[in-house]
Amino acid sequence: MTMRGICKYFPGVRALEKVDFTLRAGEVHALVGENGAGKSTLIKVLTGVYGKDAGEITMEGKAISPSSPLEAMKCGISTVYQEVNLCPNLTVAENIFIGREPKKAGRIDWKTINRRAAELLATLNLNIDVTKTLDSYSVAVQQMIAIARAVDVDAKVLILDEPTSSLDEEETQRLFDVVRKLKAQGLGIVFVSHFLDQIYELCDQVTVLRNGELIGEYEVAALPRVELISKMIGKELGDIQSMGKNENFGTDEILIEADGISAFGRIQDFDLQIHKGEVVGFAGLLGSGRTETAELLSGVAKPEKGTLRMSGKDVHFASPLDAMQHKIGFCPEDRKIQGIIGDLTVRENIIIGLQAKKGMWNHISMKEQEKIADQYIKLLQIKVSSPEQLIRNLSGGNQQKAIIARWLVTQPDLLILDEPTRGIDIGTKTEIQKMVIQLAREQHMSIIFISSEIDEMTRTCTRLVVLRDRRKVAELTGADINSDKVMSAIAGGV
Amino acid sequence: MKNLTGIKNRIVGSRYFSFGITLTLFVVLYAVGMMNYRGFLKPQVFCNLLIDNAALIIATIGITFVLLIGGIDISIGSVVALTCMTSAKLLAETGMPALLVILLVLVMGCVFGLIQGWLITEFNMQPFIVTLAGQFFARGMTAIISRDTIVIEDPLYTSLASARIYILPGGFISVGVIIALAALVIGTLVLKFTRFGRNIYALGGNETSAQLMGLPTKRTKISAYVVCGFCSALAGVVYSLIMLSGYPLHAVSMEMDAIASSVIGGTLMTGGVAFLPGTLLGVMIQGIIQTFITFQGTLSAWWTRIIIALLLCLFIVIQAIVSRSRQRLNSEH
């Protein structure tokens, strides 16, 4: 399959400019680039979600131009999207077969559907009850189901858009096994990922995009990692490497103290002291209780046992707003659902936190709003055409920055960032990490930083709390903060 | 303790949990009726539940299709009235054969649903406001055709209206009930065993996903409104068999009764979850409460509404508990 000279324009934005992409049968081809580089757009053109403005796509020598996902599927192009795109209310089996259900005597043959679904999932080493609804399974399992669906439609090209962003290590390996198996069967696989390790582990070729333009196609094995990164972000590497570690340990003053807080299904007996101006990391696998603990600290959920103290006094947060009044800000994990309000402008999204804190009836003048918005857009280098742009039209990284700006405006003492760098590009990731360190050093803000990427945490945090199975299992400081120690703590070998 | 909660969550999270609740409620209400009023023991009382509510059963089937895709249609009652009035007028003044009249009004219902569905889908409009316009339009047209009652005297209509079909010793049902039950069976089978039916569920579960999975979302959406329009017209035909007349104030706010029945029968207003046999029970539960009040004799008929209101609240709370249990179940995996 080849794509030649693909162009795509949106009002005011050049999303793709003369991009070429070639995929051979039996190859795993990585597509990388920063956010806004045009990866998603390229994929959406390929799968018929967007029409292209110029260029041509050929499949086995024949020109195709899919105008809907269904047509793309008929041409043999299947996609598994970053967010699982299946229906939660249908059964697992049905999610795999809907739209092409086997029929018997004019009616849908449920027996065959359930049997074939179970067989298909078994080839992916997944043995689950296919007659249960999709929403009774974890995201990782849902992802595998999505792949099963994509593969089963006689695909020649399989596109995996950030497939591993919600999987843990073991699940990722299982996914890779599946991908290798499919590759051996002669499928061409497009692999979009931010995780360079995974690209080096899995992929044969890599195509780099930047700002909607093609930078080049390379053989993965022949391209050193540093070079790949510099091609992606268009900067020399010194910048990233020189960042070094955060050496700032905060002051002696204790800002908030948790004493044995527990809540069923969230966390058990959690103790923690956070000093002013320090960056504390919560490490652990998905479901280890990282987010749940953050929610207890920020009033989203209430602890059933234990106490929270701020500056020596017991506090109970009745709501997130209450926590906000105590100068605690919580930036939740899923920015699309819990963070941005897509149909409001960037300015409104930034101001909304302050407005909530001040109360509905305290008017903030337009002039002041504009001033604050401009200030933070500049401070965090949010790329917008104007503060009045709708936030949903920004790239993921810039949306994230806007959300962080929202909390900074309320001037919290404690800022909780849950996966602030998930799904955004390396350049912006580095910027956010730098910003976190800066806030702690210059404004003595305390920050809880939650991330699945251990490297990111070891660079940013001065103290690392390791969680496993909803318990705190270790607390690392200073020289102990390195990938090996953290990994072994997570794995349970401290 | 933890294990117990797990089992509880599993039961509550099961797909047929709300159907179970509705069924239990129906059986309990009927049993209470039998204990208190001798009248409830007569088979005909049960049959009357069906006879009196045949039109509502059909309307509920229609609205359930629309609720399943996460939409709403509040034009049903007006379309029922328009159907009755059109049939009455045509029969009285043109001498058209009755079967042709029925065919014609059914087509009219489909076209009405088609237009509403097309407007909603093509221009991405709020179904509430489009069908509100539809409601006003149909009710207005009914009154334009005639401000007064037009009586239906067609022999086919009158003979169908008075036909008694015995299904139990001492219990008969009407032609309308046969039509309603047939519609229910067909509707249930369509939802379970056809692609169209499954696409409706998928669409209600997650529209973006459905689209990305390559399902014909637009067509399915419009079709759901066509089904609802058709059911409204069919309910209108059955209603005219009961009333044998056209009148501008027939079936006022029948759509609301239909929505209530559907929700009591386990339909989720956010779409994606419904079971038609459950919605039949939803209608029957409303009927039982009415029967209670008739037998009791002294209470105002409006108590039906109050009790339905409480039941609705109860079911919405149950739905909330169900979805929370599902989430818990999910987080256990």
Side-chain angles (χ1 to χ4, degrees):
Chain A
M1 194 229 24
T2 61
M3 297 175 87
R4 287 273 163 268
I6 302 294
C7 301
K8 174 74 197 169
Y9 308 99
F10 293 115
V13 190
R14 183 197 60 177
L16 291 174
E17 180 74 41
K18 296 203 182 92
V19 172
D20 300 340
F21 185 77
T22 310
L23 182 71
R24 296 154 205 90
E27 128 184 313
V28 183
H29 197 135
L31 183 61
V32 298
E34 288 200 283
N35 268 333
K39 291 169 304 187
S40 316
T41 316
L42 187 68
I43 283 172
K44 283 184 174 156
V45 168
L46 184 55
T47 54
V49 178
Y50 296 153
K52 55 189 184 303
D53 292 328
E56 61 164 8
I57 306 173
T58 57
M59 181 87 172
E60 296 177 329
K62 269 177 281 179
I64 55 169
S65 72
S67 63
S68 72
L70 185 63
E71 269 181 46
M73 228 152 81
K74 283 185 183 146
C75 298
I77 301 170
S78 272
T79 316
V80 174
Y81 294 91
Q82 184 172 6
E83 287 92 19
V84 179
N85 277 293
L86 297 173
C87 292
N89 58 330
L90 304 182
T91 67
V92 171
E94 188 168 12
N95 265 298
I96 296 175
F97 284 101
I98 193 161
R100 50 196 187 86
E101 295 96 336
K103 289 190 174 181
K104 206 164 73 184
R107 62 189 190 86
I108 292 174
D109 183 0
W110 287 104
K111 248 193 209 150
T112 310
I113 289 183
N114 290 337
R115 185 176 47 81
R116 279 181 46 193
E119 284 168 8
L120 185 64
L121 290 175
T123 64
L124 307 186
N125 299 327
L126 201 60
N127 293 306
I128 55 173
D129 182 357
V130 294
T131 60
K132 277 195 171 173
T133 51
L134 186 79
D135 60 2
S136 28
Y137 293 103
S138 68
V139 178
V141 174
Q142 294 185 13
Q143 188 102 47
M144 298 294 243
I145 295 166
I147 291 173
R149 175 185 170 86
V151 173
D152 197 53
V153 294
D154 292 326
K156 294 180 199 124
V157 173
L158 176 64
I159 301 167
L160 300 173
D161 187 1
E162 294 278 355
T164 56
S165 57
S166 44
L167 305 190
D168 66 25
E169 187 58 29
E170 195 196 319
E171 290 162 339
T172 305
Q173 282 311 324
R174 218 154 79 179
L175 174 75
F176 284 5
D177 289 342
V178 172
V179 172
R180 289 193 190 102
K181 203 187 247 178
L182 298 173
K183 174 185 159 180
Q185 288 170 13
L187 253 76
I189 294 161
V190 182
F191 186 79
V192 182
S193 179
H194 286 299
F195 300 103
L196 296 185
D197 286 348
Q198 298 181 354
I199 291 171
Y200 276 90
E201 191 183 338
L202 189 68
C203 302
D204 309 309
Q205 294 289 117
V206 56
T207 291
V208 182
L209 299 181
R210 193 198 317 146
N211 288 332
E213 283 175 47
L214 177 71
I215 301 302
E217 186 194 329
Y218 313 91
E219 201 178 319
V220 172
L223 184 71
R225 192 173 295 219
V226 248
E227 228 169 281
L228 175 60
I229 295 174
S230 77
K231 283 190 197 313
M232 282 166 65
I233 62 178
K235 280 182 218 161
E236 283 311 310
L237 265 165
D239 212 26
I240 304 170
Q241 284 170 337
S242 73
M243 210 179 105
K245 278 182 74 156
N246 182 5
E247 300 290 351
N248 190 39
F249 294 94
T251 61
D252 290 338
E253 196 184 332
I254 294 172
L255 176 74
I256 184 166
E257 195 177 358
D259 192 1
I261 55 171
S262 306
F264 177 71
R266 292 174 172 274
I267 191 80
Q268 295 300 316
D269 301 320
F270 183 80
D271 300 325
L272 179 69
Q273 291 183 343
I274 298 174
H275 298 260
K276 245 184 135 84
E278 78 173 334
V279 183
V280 179
F282 284 2
L285 299 176
L286 270 178
S288 61
R290 300 177 314 198
T291 302
E292 291 80 356
T293 308
E295 284 176 350
L296 287 180
L297 293 176
S298 61
V300 175
K302 280 175 220 160
E304 286 157 9
K305 259 186 3 209
T307 48
L308 271 179
R309 273 188 296 276
M310 282 189 88
S311 335
K313 266 181 276 175
D314 282 12
V315 285
H316 300 278
F317 301 136
S319 65
L321 184 63
D322 196 12
M324 231 158 109
Q325 304 292 9
H326 284 86
K327 293 187 162 257
I328 293 180
F330 177 46
C331 243
E333 181 170 17
D334 198 329
R335 65 176 165 266
K336 276 206 180 123
I337 298 171
Q338 302 174 341
I340 64 162
I341 304 173
D343 288 324
L344 295 186
T345 66
V346 176
R347 170 182 55 78
E348 287 165 323
N349 266 286
I350 292 177
I351 295 295
I352 203 162
L354 184 63
Q355 185 74 67
K357 190 182 169 195
K358 279 195 162 180
M360 185 91 82
W361 308 112
N362 285 317
H363 180 67
I364 304 170
S365 77
M366 194 55 151
K367 220 174 185 177
E368 202 184 328
Q369 290 191 21
E370 279 167 359
K371 205 183 90 193
I372 294 173
D374 281 343
Q375 181 193 341
Y376 282 92
I377 286 171
K378 213 172 283 166
L379 184 75
L380 301 183
Q381 300 171 5
I382 306 174
K383 281 179 202 132
V384 290
S385 57
S386 111
E388 302 304 315
Q389 194 178 1
L390 292 187
I391 197 162
R392 63 155 187 236
N393 295 338
L394 298 188
S395 70
N398 283 313
Q399 286 178 359
Q400 189 66 50
K401 286 184 185 172
I403 301 284
I404 295 177
R406 176 193 293 171
W407 286 106
L408 292 183
V409 173
T410 64
Q411 296 178 321
D413 289 336
L414 174 65
L415 181 62
I416 304 173
L417 300 171
D418 193 358
E419 295 275 10
T421 59
R422 172 146 154 209
I424 62 180
D425 59 83
I426 293 179
T428 318
K429 264 182 191 169
T430 320
E431 278 176 39
I432 287 179
Q433 291 164 21
K434 272 188 187 159
M435 189 196 72
V436 164
I437 296 172
Q438 225 170 13
L439 285 170
R441 190 163 50 214
E442 288 165 14
Q443 300 186 21
H444 299 296
M445 200 180 277
S446 307
I447 290 162
I448 297 179
F449 192 85
I450 304 177
S451 170
S452 300
E453 285 177 53
I454 293 167
D455 282 351
E456 185 173 292
M457 303 251 270
T458 55
R459 239 177 323 193
T460 323
C461 303
T462 47
R463 203 135 58 87
L464 257 185
V465 174
V466 182
L467 299 166
R468 186 175 68 239
D469 296 336
R470 309 192 184 283
R471 275 174 199 285
K472 176 169 155 183
V473 292
E475 192 170 319
L476 308 172
T477 48
D480 280 346
I481 299 186
N482 61 54
S483 307
D484 293 345
K485 279 263 166 61
V486 179
M487 296 277 237
S488 64
I490 290 176
V494 179
Chain B
M1 180 65 204
K2 197 183 167 188
N3 209 354
L4 214 77
T5 349
I7 292 168
K8 192 198 88 191
N9 282 343
R10 202 150 308 160
I11 294 170
V12 175
S14 142
R15 253 180 299 163
Y16 295 104
F17 180 71
S18 6
F19 178 70
I21 298 243
T22 317
L23 186 64
T24 314
L25 184 68
F26 177 76
V27 170
V28 167
L29 280 176
Y30 213 88
V32 169
M34 289 209 254
M35 280 186 270
N36 287 308
Y37 304 103
R38 293 188 55 80
F40 262 97
L41 295 169
K42 288 186 199 154
Q44 192 53 43
V45 170
F46 178 79
C47 293
N48 282 346
L49 281 182
L50 291 167
I51 294 175
D52 295 343
N53 293 302
L56 184 58
I57 291 172
I58 300 172
T60 306
I61 296 167
I63 193 76
T64 303
F65 271 78
V66 170
L67 292 178
L68 258 176
I69 61 164
I72 198 163
D73 185 345
I74 54 169
S75 68
I76 295 175
S78 305
V79 175
V80 168
L82 181 62
T83 308
C84 292
M85 182 60 91
T86 312
S87 319
K89 181 89 172 173
L90 287 177
L91 289 169
E93 294 186 6
T94 62
M96 220 184 253
L99 282 175
L100 186 62
V101 170
I102 292 175
L103 188 71
L104 210 67
V105 290
L106 289 181
V107 170
M108 185 175 78
C110 291
V111 171
F112 199 86
L114 180 71
I115 294 171
Q116 293 194 137
W118 179 75
L119 286 171
I120 291 163
T121 314
E122 191 62 34
F123 301 105
N124 218 353
M125 290 204 272
Q126 286 292 325
F128 185 91
I129 210 71
V130 172
T131 57
L132 181 65
Q135 183 192 55
F136 288 167
F137 178 82
R139 187 69 68 185
M141 280 308 286
T142 312
I144 292 290
I145 295 172
S146 166
R147 300 276 288 277
D148 307 310
T149 307
I150 301 180
V151 179
I152 298 176
E153 288 160 336
D154 180 84
L156 181 69
Y157 268 75
T158 46
S159 64
L160 284 179
S162 56
R164 293 177 166 197
I165 299 128
Y166 281 88
I167 51 163
L168 295 167
F172 63 85
I173 53 173
S174 64
V175 175
V177 175
I178 304 274
I179 298 175
L181 293 182
L184 185 83
V185 171
I186 293 170
T188 311
L189 293 179
V190 164
L191 284 179
K192 179 77 185 172
F193 290 109
T194 66
R195 284 203 181 150
F196 168 62
R198 299 323 293 173
N199 290 349
I200 286 208
Y201 276 94
L203 197 59
N206 186 332
E207 190 172 341
T208 322
S209 292
Q211 204 169 4
L212 289 172
M213 286 199 282
L215 304 179
T217 48
K218 266 192 179 176
R219 203 174 69 209
T220 309
K221 221 170 170 178
I222 296 177
S223 307
Y225 285 96
V226 172
V227 168
C228 191
F230 172 79
C231 284
S232 306
L234 190 63
V237 171
V238 169
Y239 201 78
S240 57
L241 284 179
I242 298 171
M243 293 296 177
L244 285 176
S245 67
Y247 179 60
L249 293 181
H250 268 345
V252 171
S253 74
M254 186 191 255
E255 62 278 352
M256 297 302 162
D257 287 332
I259 293 169
S261 303
S262 197
V263 170
I264 292 175
T267 305
L268 221 57
M269 289 295 283
T270 44
V273 179
F275 186 48
L276 278 185
T279 64
L280 169 69
L281 290 178
V283 176
M284 303 282 272
I285 285 172
Q286 293 206 49
I288 289 188
I289 294 166
Q290 253 157 15
T291 314
F292 260 104
I293 285 168
T294 319
F295 280 168
Q296 207 275 340
T298 55
L299 282 176
S300 153
W302 288 102
W303 277 102
T304 315
R305 291 278 155 161
I306 293 170
I307 294 166
I308 296 292
L310 296 177
L311 278 183
L312 267 180
C313 291
L314 176 74
F315 272 83
I316 292 163
V317 170
I318 289 175
Q319 287 179 356
I321 294 171
V322 168
S323 69
R324 203 170 55 193
S325 290
R326 282 182 163 240
Q327 274 164 12
R328 292 227 175 118
L329 203 63
N330 190 359
S331 67
E332 275 170 27
H333 278 280

